[in-house]
Amino acid sequence: MTEFLWRLPSRGDGRHTRPEQRNRGGFGGPAPVTPATDLRPGRFGPFDDLAQIIDAAELAGLDGVLAPYDPDGEESWIVAGGALRATRYSRVVVEFQPAFGTPVYAAKISATLQRISGGRLAWQLAVDTDPADARARGDRVTGDDRYVRAAEFLTVARGVWNETAVPSAGFAGTGFHYAGTHYDVIDGGFRGILSGLPFPTVYLTGDCAAALELSAAHGDVHVFTETEAGVGTAIAALRERATAAGRTVRAGLELPVIARETEDEAWARAERLWREVHPDGPDAREHDLGDGRWAGFAGLGYSATIGLVGSYTQVAHRLSSYTEAGVDSVVLAGHPHIEELHRAGEHLLFLADPVGRTLTEQEATA
């Protein structure tokens, strides 16, 4: 069964491409007043729209959501905590950069979130962040040293984590010691209510050799972004490194989607969004890669450049082809989020993964 996650917005949402016109969530300025607008103050806060998106993801049958790291957007840890509180079944992946805090502190926060959510938290480390963003955070680690630090971060976090319950013993740890380049720990280890919990599934990203080596040694899922040449070679390289390390690492893929009843409807939607930011340039079709993939999503504000455009059947077929190529975790994205989530749940997922998402006759009548 393929895992489908949804990338949450971090700077508001709306029907338009331009950020200043995305009024949902309080980022794009005040929404235009209509006869249906509730003018009473305090009736609808900035988090309410995000909470509806999180609810829509669970109701639509997705397996979880990704709270992305965004230095200019909502704090991913806060969003993840809210998502865990608001859902019952969804996996919540929190993306953060390793300079966020010490690995022991990140692990302690996560232990509490695992307790209150029944073990539904996952991590995605944002290792390769923008250099200007890193400097603004006071982070001096650059280049491949970032991956060295990330490896130490995960080593320490796993080291202090005890999936088997350990009785409390005052301030005593459980004997974990670590002396590295970036972190030092003496007698670390969680006890009591912070022990006996599943460690968060670790998602990692990146296409460089250092990123693949990090995933091979420490990751559970490596999330790729699509390229014109495809991701088959990158997945093979990941599997080769993971096998050499004696581990198995799942392959994931981040894909924005525009799917409609017909291919013409989907391309009409893509063209309308494209024209909002490129009124005089070439048509959206100029970026059509010819096989259901479109290389214009970055121009619409998405984090990934290449995604899928087409009818529900066409997009589902393409998603199935990724599964056949070894991808078993897909991070979907689309805006406006609530509407696109319901489209995905009602018309797309059961076509893309019929075995995992179609009730058998016995289940349907139970």
Side-chain angles (χ1 to χ4, degrees), residues 40-171:
R40 295 172 295 178
R43 298 291 176 177
F44 195 82
F47 192 76
D48 289 303
D49 179 70
L50 192 54
Q52 289 185 15
I53 295 169
I54 293 164
D55 287 342
E58 185 160 82
L59 291 171
L62 278 91
D63 299 295
V65 295
L66 166 67
Y69 168 72
D70 183 351
D72 296 319
E74 304 285 12
E75 171 53 48
S76 58
W77 281 99
I78 305 301
V79 173
L84 289 169
R85 179 65 181 87
T87 55
R88 296 181 63 188
Y89 309 106
S90 295
R91 167 170 289 182
V92 177
V93 185
V94 56
E95 185 180 34
F96 63 98
Q97 37 77 28
F100 154 80
T102 71
V104 178
Y105 179 57
K108 186 174 187 296
I109 292 174
S110 299
T112 295
L113 291 175
Q114 292 293 60
R115 286 187 67 235
I116 67 173
S117 69
R120 293 184 287 117
L121 179 71
W123 284 1
Q124 179 163 303
L125 265 61
V127 181
D128 189 9
T129 56
D130 181 76
D133 165 41
R135 289 193 297 270
R137 289 187 277 103
D139 185 0
R140 296 182 178 181
V141 180
T142 60
D144 283 353
D145 284 345
R146 296 171 300 177
Y147 291 94
V148 174
R149 177 178 63 185
E152 290 192 8
F153 186 99
L154 291 170
T155 298
V156 171
R158 291 186 188 274
V160 299
W161 195 283
N162 289 302
E163 293 195 338
T164 301
V166 180
S168 298
F171 292 104

Side-chain angles (χ1 to χ4, degrees), residues 219-232:
D220 299 309
V221 185
H222 189 96
V223 182
F224 295 95
T225 53
E226 179 65 295
T227 67
E228 290 192 24
V231 294

Side-chain angles (χ1 to χ4, degrees), residues 1 11 50 70 77 96-97 103 123 138 142 156 171 181 198-199 212 229 248 259 261 273 294 297 339-340 354-355 361:
M1 177 175 171
R11 304 187 202 181
L50 192 54
D70 183 351
W77 281 99
F96 63 98
Q97 37 77 28
W123 284 1
T142 60
V156 171
F171 292 104
T181 303
F199 190 80
L212 296 180
T248 299
E261 288 288 347
L273 294 172
W294 183 54
F297 279 99
E339 292 88 331
E340 295 301 325
V355 175
E361 183 177 352

Side-chain angles (χ1 to χ4, degrees), residues 110-333:
S110 299
T112 295
L113 291 175
Q114 292 293 60
R115 286 187 67 235
I116 67 173
S117 69
R120 293 184 287 117
L121 179 71
W123 284 1
Q124 179 163 303
L125 265 61
V127 181
D128 189 9
T129 56
D130 181 76
D133 165 41
R135 289 193 297 270
R137 289 187 277 103
D139 185 0
R140 296 182 178 181
V141 180
T142 60
D144 283 353
D145 284 345
R146 296 171 300 177
Y147 291 94
V148 174
R149 177 178 63 185
E152 290 192 8
F153 186 99
L154 291 170
T155 298
V156 171
R158 291 186 188 274
V160 299
W161 195 283
N162 289 302
E163 293 195 338
T164 301
V166 180
S168 298
F171 292 104
T174 57
F176 174 73
H177 301 276
Y178 185 83
T181 303
H182 299 278
Y183 307 106
D184 292 283
V185 179
I186 299 174
D187 192 25
F190 296 159
R191 291 175 174 270
I193 61 172
L194 298 180
S195 66
L197 301 163
F199 190 80
T201 300
V202 176
Y203 292 70
L204 295 167
T205 61
D207 298 319
C208 67
L212 296 180
E213 290 291 348
L214 178 66
S215 278
H218 297 279
D220 299 309
V221 185
H222 189 96
V223 182
F224 295 95
T225 53
E226 179 65 295
T227 67
E228 290 192 24
V231 294
T233 301
I235 291 176
L238 171 68
R239 296 269 162 81
E240 181 180 351
R241 286 174 165 83
T243 299
R247 303 184 68 248
T248 299
V249 181
R250 295 161 52 205
L253 187 64
E254 182 168 345
L255 281 172
V257 294
I258 298 176
R260 294 295 186 270
E261 288 288 347
T262 67
E263 182 180 8
D264 288 342
E265 287 181 70
W267 278 109
R269 174 61 178 167
E271 188 66 40
R272 283 196 298 273
L273 294 172
W274 183 259
R275 284 302 176 197
E276 287 187 17
V277 288
H278 301 92
D280 303 317
D283 294 343
R285 287 268 194 174
E286 290 291 321
H287 299 281
D288 182 10
L289 299 180
D291 54 1
R293 299 182 303 158
W294 183 54
F297 279 99
L300 304 183
Y302 289 88
S303 60
T305 298
I306 298 176
L308 306 180
V309 177
S311 69
Y312 294 122
T313 301
Q314 290 170 329
V315 172
H317 178 75
R318 188 69 194 184
L319 288 172
S320 297
S321 72
Y322 286 122
T323 301
E324 294 169 1
V327 173
D328 61 6
S329 179
V330 180
V331 183
L332 299 174

